[in-house]
Amino acid sequence: MKFLSRAEELLLLALWKITEEPYGVNIRKFVSDITGKYWSIGAIYVPLDRLESKGYVQSYLSGPTPERGGKSKRYYKITEDGLEALREVQKMNSTLWDDMPDLSTKKL
Amino acid sequence: MKFLSRAEELLLLALWKITEEPYGVNIRKFVSDITGKYWSIGAIYVPLDRLESKGYVQSYLSGPTPERGGKSKRYYKITEDGLEALREVQKMNSTLWDDMPDLSTKKL
DNA sequence: AAATTATTTCTACTTTGTAGAAATTATCAT
DNA sequence: ATGATAATTTCTACAAAGTAGAAATAATTT
C-alpha cells in the first residue's frame, strides 16, 4: 500500500476530526485553519474525489435544508480503508519524528 | 512557503539523521528502512535534484576514493532553508497529530 | 585493454496538486 | 411567477511531484 500524500492525510484527518457537517466548506475551513494557508476550492474537491475513487472516503448528497438556498451539500466520511491508511501514516510519523529534537531550537 | 511533500520530508530528514556518507545509496537505504517500501533509484535522485534547485539541499562530488571503482559519490547536505522547511512540517505534524489517539486501537 | 563495479544522470510517463470559472439548485424579493 | 441572489459543487486545464529503470560515467581489477 502506498502512503498517503500530505493533502490526503490532511483531508482524511479532517474527516476524522470534524464532527459537524463534514462537507466541502467545513472541510476547507478545517484544513485552512490547521495549516494557516489558503486552499483553493479545487484543492479540496479534486483530492476528495480521488480519495473517493480509491475507496478511502464515501460521500452522499444531503436533501435540501430549510436554510438559505444553493446546491445541496455533499457530506463525506472516511471509510475503513481510509482509516487504515491513516493508521499507516501515524505509525510512520512516529518512526520518523518521535526521536527528533524540537527543531525550532536547533541551528544548522 | 509551501509545505514539504512526503518524499521531500523523508529525504530532508534522512539528511538530518544520516551521519556517515550521505550519498544516494545510503539515503536510499535510509528511506527504504524507515518506510519498509521499495524506492526506485529515480525516486531518490529526482526529488533530491528538485530539492537542490529549490535551495533546500546542497551537494558536491567526492574525489575518487581508494575503494572499488565506479563513478564518484555525490554527497548531499541540508541547507538552512531546508531545515526551516523541516521545522514547519514538524510544527504542523504536532498540530495535526499530538491530540490524536492511537489509531491502531480505534475502530470506525 | 577488456571486464566489472558503483554510482549517478537522464528521460519519459503517471499521479497528484491547484486555481478558479461555470453550472446547479435552492431561497428571497418584487 | 420571475428574476436576483446565494451556497455549493462540478469540471477542466495546467503545473508540480512521484516513479521506474535504462544509459552513461568513471574508477578498479584481470
Side-chain angles (χ1 to χ4, degrees):
Chain A
M1 200 193 272
K2 285 194 63 260
F3 284 120
L4 296 172
S5 71
R6 178 127 7 241
E8 290 172 329
E9 172 184 341
L10 235 17
L11 289 168
L12 290 186
L13 229 17
L15 295 186
W16 180 268
K17 290 187 177 184
I18 289 174
T19 51
E20 305 207 2
E21 303 233 75
Y23 76 112
V25 173
N26 285 348
I27 294 168
R28 188 176 176 208
K29 175 154 191 343
F30 180 94
V31 300
S32 300
D33 286 353
I34 255 195
T35 60
K37 300 201 192 304
Y38 172 81
W39 288 69
S40 72
I41 292 177
I44 301 296
Y45 284 106
V46 172
L48 275 176
D49 279 5
R50 290 172 184 161
L51 282 171
E52 184 153 33
S53 16
K54 291 181 191 163
Y56 288 3
V57 312
Q58 243 189 285
S59 77
Y60 57 96
L61 288 170
S62 71
T65 55
E67 290 153 30
R68 195 71 194 69
K71 208 169 177 178
S72 53
K73 298 170 181 169
R74 179 176 290 280
Y75 291 102
Y76 292 88
K77 58 177 201 278
I78 190 170
T79 63
E80 181 52 41
D81 283 358
L83 180 55
E84 184 55 29
L86 221 36
R87 287 191 190 103
E88 284 209 28
V89 287
Q90 187 178 49
K91 185 146 40 99
M92 181 187 53
N93 267 344
S94 301
T95 310
L96 269 180
W97 286 102
D98 282 359
D99 64 346
M100 283 290 286
D102 179 1
L103 291 177
S104 63
T105 68
K106 293 282 173 194
K107 264 296 290 170
L108 199 55
Chain B
M1 201 193 272
K2 285 194 63 259
F3 285 120
L4 296 172
S5 70
R6 178 130 4 243
E8 289 171 330
E9 173 185 340
L10 236 16
L11 289 168
L12 290 185
L13 229 18
L15 296 186
W16 180 268
K17 291 187 177 184
I18 290 173
T19 52
E20 306 206 1
E21 301 234 76
Y23 76 112
V25 173
N26 285 349
I27 294 169
R28 188 177 176 207
K29 175 154 191 344
F30 180 94
V31 301
S32 300
D33 286 354
I34 256 195
T35 60
K37 300 199 191 304
Y38 173 81
W39 288 69
S40 72
I41 292 177
I44 300 296
Y45 284 106
V46 173
L48 274 176
D49 278 4
R50 290 174 184 161
L51 282 171
E52 184 153 32
S53 15
K54 291 181 192 163
Y56 288 3
V57 311
Q58 243 189 285
S59 77
Y60 56 98
L61 288 170
S62 72
T65 56
E67 292 153 27
R68 193 72 196 70
K71 208 169 177 177
S72 54
K73 298 172 181 168
R74 179 175 290 280
Y75 291 102
Y76 291 89
K77 58 177 200 279
I78 190 170
T79 63
E80 181 51 43
D81 283 359
L83 180 54
E84 184 55 28
L86 220 37
R87 288 190 191 104
E88 284 208 28
V89 286
Q90 187 178 49
K91 185 146 40 99
M92 182 186 53
N93 268 344
S94 302
T95 310
L96 269 180
W97 286 101
D98 283 358
D99 65 345
M100 283 289 287
D102 179 0
L103 291 177
S104 62
T105 68
K106 294 282 173 193
K107 264 295 291 170
L108 198 55

